[in-house]
Amino acid sequence: MSKHGVFVHEESTALSAPITGNCSVQVVIGTAPVNMAADPAAVVNKPILANSAQEAMAALGYSTDFADYTLCQTMYATANIYQISPVVYINVLDPKKHKKTLAETTYQVNQMQAVVNKPGVLMDGLTVKGATGSAALVAGKDYVAEFDSATGYLIITLLAAGAGKSETSLKISGNVLDPSMVTKTEIIGAYDPSTGSETGAQLIRRIYPDLGVVPGLILAPGWSQIPEVGVTLAAKAENINGVFKAMALLDLDTAKATKYTDCKKIKEDSGYTSAHCMVLWPSDKIGELVLAKSAVVAAMIAYQDTENDDVPNLSPSNKLLGVTGQCLADGTEIFVDQDQASTVNTYGVVTATNVNGWRCWGNYTGAFPGSNDAKDIWIPVRRMFDWQANTFIQTYFDRVDDPMNQVLIESIVDSENIRCAAYAPDKWAGASIEYRRDDNPTTDILAGKMTFRQKIAPYTPAQEIDNTLSYDTELLASILGGGE
């Protein structure tokens, strides 16, 4: 029909572009509803770099069933709480083996559409029949199938020119994902020497060579409360590709730590004592949604660092989490006041307390209280050491195999001192590097080895601010005219 006049068309509101940073790239290991992906098999045990939560949802699928599809917790946190990217996702849910049969069931057709109200339906092996006939309908000819992005349910739309156009119900069968079949062993992953392939957390070593990004934060929401998983993540964070370091965010098992006084024993029983891990308790709640605290805190840290010139010198403590409450993993709501939260901190566990909004609360790594080394017990200090090491490696990698002469020495010393000076006194108190003759004997020089000595001085967090109050009776007397 021809139109005549002036017309206005509205577009959907565009989402704000996420900010991007490099020092705190999240690496998240878990499960996703890959049945919704364009090619489910292509996103199994493969690091997927997403530059927005929407990109991750398109690549891996999305569901608010956070218990079954744990990667979606980070997708939600980086889309709705802190818009931050990039994020690397490692999905271990394999539609070829983590599946169960969808028995033939009849679904009503309304306005040429039938909704399969079961999550995880796989396109591969799907059979659609009319209620009146035994012959299967043909996809693309008789119907089209797509997923509802809000519910994850499969929608079958009959085509007007297809054989099923008159059907009032459809018989549908096939297979559905079964996330319950995924085990901690698959999250931890393995290396197959016969093929050279890795799975699960073992894929962390592939991220820098394949994607060109250095992991900054490693997490597995919904899984890291299992000691074997958590210890693996902490070990990976301490040594990536033999050179890089990161921080693992580990949740305590809220089925065991049901109250704040349980945290000490459960942390110790779990073995979460590495300087390269943050231990977190309990879970976070947003309305009816329950998220592992690791998913929320990791998104917050990545956002904070990026806003801070991509430097991790700020503590995550006392920063708003953007959540509505604290709970156990089963959704049971709990309350943690500041006194209780501070007690939890003495165990080396980060928690949350409500001071005009729920705030992350705690500055200590998992190494506390077992260690008293300042570079290992304070989260921002430990992360600054890791950041400096990672930055140094990436900055001067191109100098490897250059002639080992005075020009090279002066170039590295001068460049590094200038770079480090730019961050003082805002990001740290200062830093310096030098080349000492004593550290470089002739035997090392002949072996092609050169050694520098660098000192850095990150700030510790102002964890305790005390003010001593006293009654000034002389001031009172002078105002009221008392005294002699």
Side-chain angles (χ1 to χ4, degrees), residues 169-188:
S169 61
L170 298 174
K171 294 179 180 179
I172 299 173
S173 61
N175 297 290
V176 295
L177 292 174
D178 187 358
S180 68
M181 295 176 69
V182 177
T183 67
K184 62 186 178 184
T185 301
E186 289 162 305
I187 298 293
I188 295 169

Side-chain angles (χ1 to χ4, degrees), residues 20-102:
T20 59
N22 295 314
C23 83
S24 304
V25 175
Q26 300 174 71
V27 176
V28 195
I29 306 161
T31 54
V34 294
N35 62 302
M36 301 172 68
D39 186 357
V43 292
V44 177
N45 282 309
K46 178 182 178 182
I48 303 296
L49 179 65
N51 289 306
S52 69
Q54 289 69 35
E55 187 177 318
M57 294 173 187
L60 294 159
Y62 179 74
S63 169
T64 54
D65 182 356
F66 293 158
D68 279 342
Y69 302 114
T70 58
L71 294 180
C72 296
Q73 297 184 40
T74 293
M75 295 180 200
Y76 179 91
T78 55
N80 299 288
I81 309 177
Y82 300 96
Q83 291 200 3
I84 181 67
S85 69
V87 178
V88 177
Y89 295 88
I90 298 175
N91 165 68
V92 304
L93 196 158
D94 189 344
K96 293 182 178 179
K97 64 178 183 178
H98 302 132
K99 63 181 180 179
K100 58 185 177 183
T101 300
L102 173 65

Side-chain angles (χ1 to χ4, degrees), residues 111-194:
Q111 296 180 332
M112 302 286 284
Q113 287 188 334
V115 178
V116 184
N117 55 348
K118 293 182 181 296
V121 176
L122 292 165
M123 292 287 198
D124 187 22
L126 183 69
T127 300
V128 179
K129 297 179 181 179
T132 58
S134 58
L137 300 181
V138 180
K141 178 181 178 183
D142 301 321
Y143 71 91
V144 292
E146 60 184 352
F147 291 100
D148 184 324
S149 59
T151 64
Y153 293 160
L154 183 67
I155 300 175
I156 304 295
T157 302
L158 297 173
L159 299 177
K165 60 183 178 181
S166 301
E167 298 290 348
T168 57
S169 61
L170 298 174
K171 294 179 180 179
I172 299 173
S173 61
N175 297 290
V176 295
L177 292 174
D178 187 358
S180 68
M181 295 176 69
V182 177
T183 67
K184 62 186 178 184
T185 301
E186 289 162 305
I187 298 293
I188 295 169
Y191 171 71
D192 186 347
S194 64

Side-chain angles (χ1 to χ4, degrees), residues 10-11 37 121 125 232 257 353 368 387 402 419 435 437 455 460:
E10 292 189 3
E11 292 185 348
V121 176
T232 297
T353 190
F368 187 83
W387 170 78
D402 280 1
R419 186 187 69 82
Y435 179 91
R437 299 288 181 184
K455 295 180 179 180
T460 58

